């Protein structure tokens, strides 16, 4: 509905998170089993693979890589279906997508694992299923903010814009945008250090 009325940006909410499985039904278990069989690998529960993710065993590391491949394929289908549906509604208006709170610097690692509700950013971006990076940058002192954005930008493809998420103030949370002046400084930091825009999040109101 929003896209049909010209909304330009739609950010997925990737919370809450959990690890191992999106779904524990027999159909999903069957799909994971078929994924392993196609690679001539013995069956292992996703939970078992996840629990052994930090192991030094070559076999454990190999299964973690396969699990990443599985999630990459899963999210390409999921986001691909979403994008096709959104495109059919958008008409000439167009729309762009990003993932709320992701990626963070550590998540751009080639071997970073995402289970549960989290897709890996780069495989989705390379398939043109997401358009921009939307890292979470509230809960950070302004003095460190520009440095973080520059560092983050160096980890992204040149073609990928950044839209940081900033806080306009949340009751009881120790963030650093306590006043309109704080927020203005934060926005200056974004644009002076290479951000293309921002997403403002607020419980208390801007």
């Amino acid at each position: 509905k929003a896209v049909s009325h010209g909304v330009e940006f739609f950010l997925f909410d990737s919370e809450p998170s959990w690890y191992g499985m999106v779904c524990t039904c027999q159909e999903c278990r069957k799909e994971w089993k078929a994924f392993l069989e196609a690679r001539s690998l013995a069956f292992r529960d996703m939970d078992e693979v996840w629990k052994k993710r930090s192991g030094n065993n070559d076999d454990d590391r190999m299964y973690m890589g396969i699990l990443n491949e599985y999630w990459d394929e899963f999210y390409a289908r999921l986001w691909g279906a979403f994008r096709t549906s959104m495109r059919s509604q958008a008409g000439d208006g167009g729309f762009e997508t990003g993932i709320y709170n992701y990626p963070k610097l550590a998540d751009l690692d080639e071997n970073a694992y995402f289970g549960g509700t989290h897709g890996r950013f780069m495989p989705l971006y390379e398939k043109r299923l997401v358009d921009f990076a939307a890292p979470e940058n509230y809960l950070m002192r302004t003095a460190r903010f520009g440095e973080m954005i520059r560092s983050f930008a160096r980890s992204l493809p040149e073609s990928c814009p950044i839209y940081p998420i900033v806080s306009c103030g949340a009751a009881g949370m120790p963030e650093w945008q306590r006043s309109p002046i704080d927020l203005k400084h934060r926005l200056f930091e974004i644009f002076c250090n290479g951000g293309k825009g921002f997403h403002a999040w607020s419980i208390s109101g801007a």
Side-chain angles (χ1 to χ4, degrees), residues 77-148:
R77 293 203 313 273
L78 178 67
W79 282 66
F82 171 81
R83 197 170 180 91
T84 298
S85 175
M86 294 286 274
R87 282 264 181 243
S88 71
Q89 296 295 317
D92 295 332
F95 77 102
E96 296 182 63
T97 58
I99 306 178
Y100 169 74
N101 198 17
Y102 280 89
K104 296 178 183 176
L105 282 172
D107 303 333
L108 294 168
D109 187 319
E110 190 73 22
N111 299 311
Y113 170 79
F114 286 87
T117 51
H118 294 156
R120 291 199 296 174
F121 181 81
M122 289 308 299
L124 291 172
Y125 182 77
E126 287 166 359
K127 289 180 183 292
R128 300 187 177 181
L129 297 176
V130 294
D131 301 293
F132 58 87
E136 174 188 24
N137 287 328
Y138 51 86
L139 306 183
M140 180 181 291
R141 290 187 180 276
T142 301
R144 291 184 52 217
F145 192 61
E147 180 184 339
M148 187 272 183

Side-chain angles (χ1 to χ4, degrees), residues 9-97:
F9 297 93
F10 184 94
L11 281 85
F12 256 101
D13 188 343
S14 56
E15 296 178 316
S17 64
W18 63 89
Y19 300 100
M21 294 187 180
V22 166
C23 178
T24 58
C25 77
Q26 288 306 307
E27 288 303 312
C28 288
R29 181 182 171 86
K30 200 186 307 178
E31 188 170 325
W32 166 240
K33 185 178 180 182
F35 195 83
L36 293 177
E37 287 175 350
R39 289 156 179 76
S40 301
L41 293 170
F43 179 75
R44 281 192 190 180
D45 278 321
M46 288 186 185
D47 285 344
E48 181 189 353
V49 176
W50 169 250
K51 286 171 185 172
K52 293 182 177 180
R53 67 192 180 279
S54 302
N56 295 318
N57 186 307
D58 287 343
D59 204 41
D60 292 338
R61 285 197 295 270
M62 183 266 293
Y63 268 89
M64 275 301 297
I66 295 297
L67 190 54
N68 271 343
E69 289 179 24
Y70 174 80
W71 286 126
D72 289 343
E73 187 175 298
F74 175 92
Y75 280 105
R77 293 203 313 273
L78 178 67
W79 282 66
F82 171 81
R83 197 170 180 91
T84 298
S85 175
M86 294 286 274
R87 282 264 181 243
S88 71
Q89 296 295 317
D92 295 332
F95 77 102
E96 296 182 63
T97 58

